[in-house]
Amino acid sequence: MTNTTTSTILPFNQTNPMHSHIPFHSNTMTKPRNLNLTFLLQDIQILEIFLAVLVFIIIHSLRQKKHHGLAVWPVLGMVPSLVTGLRTNLYEWITEVLKRQNGTFRFKGPWFSNLNCIVTSDPRNLEHLLKTKFPLYPKGGYFRNTVRELLGDGIFNADDDTWQKQRKTASIEFHSTKFRQLTTESLFELVHYRLLPVLEASVKKSVAIDLQDILLRLTFDNVCMIAFGVDPGCLQLGLPEIPFAKAFEDATEATVFRFVTPTCLWKAMKFLNLGMERKLNKSIKGVDEFAESVIRTRKKELSLQCEDSKQRLDLLTVFMRLKDENGQAYSDKFLRDICVNFILAGRDTSSVALSWFFWLLEQNPQVEENILAEICKVVSQRKDIEREEFDNSLRFRPEEIKKMDYLHAALSEALRLYPSVPVDHKEVVEDDTFPDGTVLKKGTKVIYAIYAMGRMEGIWGKDCKEFKPERWLRDGRFMSESAYKFTAFNGGPRLCLGKDFAYYQMKYAAASIVYRYHVKVVENHPVEPKLALTMYMKHGLKVNLYQRDAAQIQKHLEDGLK
Ligand code: HEM
């Protein structure tokens, strides 16, 4: 090795400016030349060793890919591969890795980081962590500390007793007839007096609208009515900016930012009140001010026993009437946390699902036609209405919405392919082993990849990437799937509390729009998911609406009567 190296160095040395500092005199040639050679030998050997080590590291890191699914680099772990994923579509990237690894892989973060975790899409593991071993898999300290300012001790952020207490009370409330009445009535008003006029205005002016923004406004107003008993008025002509809604959005965005920032860095930024932490601080103040003023007013109302307060069924009023385990009223801070958490849960999940649904409909015109046929069939069975009344003023009845199985299936199919919560997480509190054999040490974070689950041939068959509502139907009736296979609403004891309401809300809004308009996405409008806790469309959904042809509706109504 040394010989071959020596024979190639002289010319290199003479031209290499790096070595120009070595003295070179013709009359003293032998000595400095030897000296020169020694240095060069050392240099080249170091270089060779360096290159050999580098080649070894590259080969070794890349060979790890076979075993771990991704290259594992010294110090950086799998982060270089993650960066590639982040530059494309992260959810698709995770799906591909999971496919290669039979549904589960261990992500190795950089040394001394908190990014190590297990990622899984295996339904057996999902059932294990969400149901069978539920107490072993809480949300955990990392999540709680990261979202503490926004969510406090609310249901989303709580484990154990704090969670159980809220879950029990809210669950009774969500399943009560009166509460269902509140939700259906508030939605009815929002759709007919606010959503449809805004859509109609865009049709009259022939202007494109951002349907995702409009749907987000609809569900924000709706969930505030349910949680606080207050209508913020985001959805109205002119689409105004509402300070509370803006503060809530900023606070959520700044909180999400913490998940992609090293903990020590965001803590330092918080201490110095800089950047996103400054934004978080300011927006949390906006959220708190709004909550405090609603709580203050409601307390006054309740103490005066006025008629209005007796009729109230919103969550805030329900929790205000209750006492804690010591017989004390809940603190204002706890009441604020409860409401903020429900707003977060119900604010954008249904609206982003509807946005993906309308986008999928445009690519699947037969599904749109089938939905329209179903809507017309259901309403044509009304006995107490004249045929002429099937115009734009038609209002669906709750029992009609329930009969729309094909629409239910199409929405489920949209959620399977584009789940509003694309990934979720837990933290294991004891050493454990997953049903697929993966060993977990206490404290390991577990990510369950809901988006990837919808695209696994092993779960949904060869046609898993196709939008096929029919896969949810047996003899025309909707058949639900196991929550550990279709995890869009989570599963086990922490199954989404708002699931039934969300379906009702989505079906009501979708049917009201599809019956009246054909939604056409603006040409070349880019559609891709945004990287956030909820799967928003990154650029919104720019669409034009076209009034339905009366003859088309008439034909479907007649077919429905056959
Ligand atoms: C398409 C619509 C919706 C989807 C896909 C959805 C999905 C989910 C998911 C995945 C979770 C688990 C989150 C976690 O624990 O990390 C969850 C929890 C929850 N959801 Fe929904 N949700 C939707 C609509 C709603 C609505 C409209 C409400 C209320 C008005 C609601 C209320 C809740 C609550 C309170 C929880 C917390 C349950 C608990 O931790 O015990 N959701 N939802």
Side-chain angles (χ1 to χ4, degrees), residues 105-342:
F105 75 96
R106 197 177 287 274
F107 184 83
K108 292 176 192 258
W111 291 356
F112 311 113
S113 79
N114 45 17
L115 283 178
N116 292 343
C117 58
I118 300 286
V119 186
T120 188
S121 60
D122 186 328
R124 292 170 302 166
N125 296 346
L126 269 278
E127 181 160 6
H128 178 86
L129 69 97
L130 290 175
K131 188 177 83 175
T132 323
K133 292 279 185 81
F134 173 72
L136 289 195
Y137 292 87
K139 295 246 168 163
Y142 169 70
F143 183 80
R144 204 165 24 256
N145 291 334
T146 312
V147 301
R148 188 180 295 282
E149 281 83 352
L150 177 63
L151 299 183
D153 292 321
I155 190 164
F156 253 115
N157 199 21
D159 285 316
D160 309 318
D161 287 353
T162 324
W163 165 74
Q164 204 135 27
K165 196 166 60 182
Q166 292 177 64
R167 173 92 196 181
K168 208 171 142 198
T169 313
S171 183
I172 295 171
E173 182 64 5
F174 263 66
H175 294 107
S176 77
T177 320
K178 283 190 172 171
F179 189 75
R180 279 171 196 248
Q181 199 182 327
L182 165 81
T183 52
T184 42
E185 279 170 9
S186 60
L187 182 64
F188 179 91
E189 301 217 342
L190 277 170
V191 168
H192 291 284
Y193 303 122
R194 308 263 281 280
L195 173 69
L196 294 176
V198 167
L199 300 184
E200 194 54 35
S202 85
V203 175
K204 287 211 172 102
K205 289 186 202 150
S206 303
V207 289
I209 46 165
D210 179 357
L211 190 59
Q212 179 175 257
D213 176 48
I214 288 173
L215 294 166
L216 280 165
R217 288 167 180 269
L218 170 82
T219 51
F220 187 78
D221 285 350
N222 200 190
V223 78
C224 285
M225 285 153 102
I226 294 167
F228 276 131
V230 169
D231 175 6
C234 287
L235 180 59
Q236 52 181 300
L237 289 168
L239 306 178
E241 187 177 289
I242 304 293
F244 172 58
K246 174 85 177 87
F248 204 95
E249 199 179 319
D250 287 352
T252 318
E253 202 179 305
T255 301
V256 170
F257 189 72
R258 283 184 173 179
F259 284 100
V260 289
T261 313
T263 309
C264 54
L265 186 61
W266 71 251
K267 284 199 169 162
M269 285 166 81
K270 176 178 156 75
F271 181 74
L272 299 167
N273 197 24
L274 288 177
M276 272 294 188
E277 287 299 315
R278 189 189 171 86
K279 184 174 175 180
L280 180 63
N281 199 3
K282 190 171 164 231
S283 51
I284 293 282
K285 275 191 189 133
V287 171
D288 289 352
E289 272 165 24
F290 180 83
E292 278 158 22
S293 106
V294 177
I295 293 170
R296 218 179 310 121
T297 319
R298 189 67 42 80
K299 276 194 167 161
K300 215 184 243 171
E301 235 180 73
L302 289 178
S303 69
L304 293 173
Q305 300 258 324
C306 55
E307 266 322 294
D308 264 9
S309 72
K310 284 185 197 149
Q311 306 292 322
R312 284 194 177 278
L313 290 164
D314 55 87
L315 284 172
L316 176 62
T317 311
V318 169
F319 275 92
M320 267 184 178
R321 290 191 186 120
L322 297 174
K323 302 269 180 275
D324 68 10
E325 53 279 13
N326 306 317
Q328 303 288 315
Y330 289 125
S331 69
D332 287 3
K333 163 78 174 70
F334 190 54
L335 292 171
R336 171 257 181 228
D337 290 349
I338 291 169
C339 294
V340 165
N341 276 257
F342 274 88

Side-chain angles (χ1 to χ4, degrees), residues 58-103:
I58 293 174
I59 293 174
H60 178 74
S61 304
L62 291 174
R63 283 184 67 184
Q64 302 271 312
K65 196 170 170 179
K66 245 190 191 161
H67 187 61
H68 296 284
L70 290 172
V72 186
W73 300 94
V75 185
L76 297 174
M78 292 175 171
V79 163
S81 312
L82 176 66
V83 171
T84 318
L86 285 167
R87 282 168 51 199
T88 53
N89 176 336
L90 185 70
Y91 306 122
E92 279 296 326
W93 177 81
I94 293 177
T95 309
E96 288 313 309
V97 183
L98 282 166
K99 275 185 192 162
R100 285 203 297 271
Q101 295 305 104
N102 285 330

Side-chain angles (χ1 to χ4, degrees), residues 7 22 24 48 55 86 92 127 179 196 201 233 262 295 301 332 358 379 387 397 418 441 450 487 504 532 543 554:
S7 62
I22 299 172
F24 186 88
E48 279 193 335
V55 169
L86 285 167
E92 279 296 326
E127 181 160 6
F179 189 75
L196 294 176
I295 293 170
E301 235 180 73
D332 287 3
F358 277 109
V379 290
R387 294 287 297 282
R397 298 166 183 171
Y418 296 97
K441 288 269 161 242
I450 304 173
T487 317
Y504 183 80
V543 301
Q554 198 55 39

Side-chain angles (χ1 to χ4, degrees), residues 139 156 163 167 342 345-346 349-350 424 488-490 494 496 498 502:
K139 295 246 168 163
F156 253 115
W163 165 74
R167 173 92 196 181
F342 274 88
T349 36
S350 319
D424 211 335
F489 290 95
N490 220 31
R494 283 194 101 133
C496 169

